[in-house]
Amino acid sequence: MNKKKLTKSIIAISLSVGVLGYGLTYLTNHDNALAQVTETKEIKKVHFTSSNTETNKINIQNTMLNAIDYYSTVAGSLEYYSKRGGFNLSVTYQNDLSEKPKSYEKTLYNQDTNVKTQAASNDDYEVKAYDGDTLSIYKSGSKERGIASNTTTEKVPPMPLETRNQFKGTTMKERIGATEGEKLYNYRYEPSLMSGTVKTSLLPEDIALGFLEDTTKWDIKGEEKIAGVNTVAIEGTLNANYTERFNAKNFKINVDPHTGIMLQMEVIDDTATVVEALYTKNIEIDNTLNQKLFSSVK
């Protein structure tokens, strides 16, 4: 069963490790997960309005928790900034969540201390391609830092349907358990092997569980268009754990209520400064993808 305590950062900071680690976690843990598969629930699209009601809040939670069930393909680009982590990333991605899921990502890095004012560098990047059978990762290295380029490959067979459907259609209450007085959070197995950064946007269950668990701490403020998508704007207060982690108290996120995809996130400190952020630059949902990208990292 894919359980963990919600005590880590919102995204996997060590992105290159996170990509391979995600595949390895699946390979080592999926047999145990199969022994405890939950009943699969039928996914139904919910009529949504932007009014700040408890029903709409619950619908937003559930759609974010199960976002990968509400679209088949997605392609786009995003930027992620972290003052605490000291980095700025730019990621181009495409994901196919059909019967044989695939993914492609190109991540540009900038680890300068003044990251928010400087674009990610073309000199330091990583390309990940998963064709449904093999996960390949190319790291460009960095001439500036004297790091050589390298390519790694790993056989990762398609995820069994039983594993893929574990916790499908479940609600916030069904995702949260406890052991020895500590909360445990149940997470979906994502079959296309998204990296942590992309998963934060395309399957934002960490955000739903971490920011939106207590519906009294956030409100639906209305609708906003982000990257051409009509989104619901949500503003709220961080819980004590995240307040300490980010040294901030408030957040704002924009979510597509039809797919659960989070297109924008801002964590804001007492001086109204954004200290952690995700910004979608462009996105296309359920359109044709470039199939060649899934099998090449060059």
Side-chain angles (χ1 to χ4, degrees):
M1 188 173 290
N2 196 13
K3 288 188 174 183
K4 59 183 175 180
K5 298 175 183 177
L6 198 63
T7 56
K8 62 172 191 165
S9 176
I10 287 298
I11 68 166
I13 300 299
S14 54
L15 293 166
S16 59
V17 175
V19 171
L20 277 173
Y22 203 86
L24 291 170
T25 299
Y26 155 61
L27 288 173
T28 56
N29 291 347
H30 82 274
D31 289 333
N32 291 332
L34 289 176
Q36 305 178 61
V37 170
T38 58
E39 180 182 356
T40 300
K41 297 186 178 183
E42 183 181 357
I43 294 293
K44 296 180 180 179
K45 291 195 174 183
V46 178
H47 175 69
F48 184 87
T49 66
S50 58
S51 57
N52 188 42
T53 66
E54 188 68 12
T55 297
N56 280 338
K57 288 184 174 186
I58 297 300
N59 287 338
I60 282 289
Q61 286 177 338
N62 295 342
T63 307
M64 291 173 70
L65 289 172
N66 298 284
I68 54 175
D69 300 317
Y70 292 97
Y71 60 89
S72 298
T73 66
V74 61
S77 64
L78 60 82
E79 293 180 354
Y80 197 103
Y81 162 72
S82 175
K83 179 180 179 181
R84 183 173 63 98
F87 65 85
N88 189 42
L89 307 176
S90 178
V91 187
T92 302
Y93 62 84
Q94 67 171 34
N95 291 74
D96 181 346
L97 291 167
S98 61
E99 292 183 5
K100 190 174 183 180
K102 311 174 189 70
S103 64
Y104 168 88
E105 297 172 18
K106 182 175 181 178
T107 302
L108 306 182
Y109 296 98
N110 183 338
Q111 296 182 344
D112 192 282
T113 54
N114 195 23
V115 291
K116 197 173 183 184
T117 61
Q118 297 188 24
S121 170
N122 282 307
D123 182 49
D124 190 2
Y125 68 92
E126 178 178 300
V127 179
K128 175 186 77 71
Y130 176 57
D131 64 3
D133 294 301
T134 301
L135 176 65
S136 301
I137 297 176
Y138 170 76
K139 296 180 181 180
S140 69
S142 173
K143 294 179 181 178
E144 189 176 298
R145 291 184 287 155
I147 301 174
S149 63
N150 70 87
T151 302
T152 59
T153 60
E154 174 188 7
K155 285 291 183 182
V156 182
M159 186 178 292
L161 187 60
E162 294 91 342
T163 305
R164 179 174 175 175
N165 286 340
Q166 189 177 17
F167 301 116
K168 181 177 181 178
T170 50
T171 65
M172 183 73 73
K173 289 183 179 179
E174 292 169 311
R175 291 290 195 95
I176 302 173
T179 180
E180 298 180 355
E182 289 192 78
K183 283 186 177 180
L184 289 178
Y185 296 80
N186 295 303
Y187 285 75
R188 296 284 298 269
Y189 283 98
E190 193 287 302
S192 70
L193 305 187
M194 300 175 188
S195 69
T197 311
V198 173
K199 184 174 179 288
T200 297
S201 174
L202 303 185
L203 178 56
E205 53 187 351
D206 273 355
I207 302 295
L209 290 165
F211 287 12
L212 306 185
E213 178 186 352
D214 185 348
T215 57
T216 68
K217 289 183 173 293
W218 56 277
D219 293 304
I220 298 169
K221 293 295 187 177
E223 298 182 17
E224 294 178 353
K225 184 164 283 190
I226 304 292
V229 177
N230 290 323
T231 71
V232 174
I234 295 171
E235 296 180 17
T237 304
L238 295 169
N239 63 28
N241 182 27
Y242 282 107
T243 294
E244 180 180 359
R245 182 173 306 159
F246 292 117
N247 193 25
K249 292 184 177 180
N250 301 309
F251 69 88
K252 178 184 177 183
I253 63 174
N254 291 80
V255 179
D256 176 3
H258 304 296
T259 64
I261 293 172
M262 186 182 72
L263 284 88
Q264 189 162 293
M265 175 193 76
E266 293 182 329
V267 178
I268 305 157
D269 70 11
D270 289 339
T271 66
T273 300
V274 175
V275 297
E276 194 99 2
L278 181 152
Y279 299 109
T280 295
K281 311 309 289 183
N282 60 77
I283 188 168
E284 295 184 2
I285 301 170
D286 289 333
N287 286 342
T288 303
L289 301 178
N290 181 354
Q291 296 295 319
K292 292 181 180 179
L293 291 178
F294 296 127
S295 56
S296 175
V297 292
K298 298 296 185 183

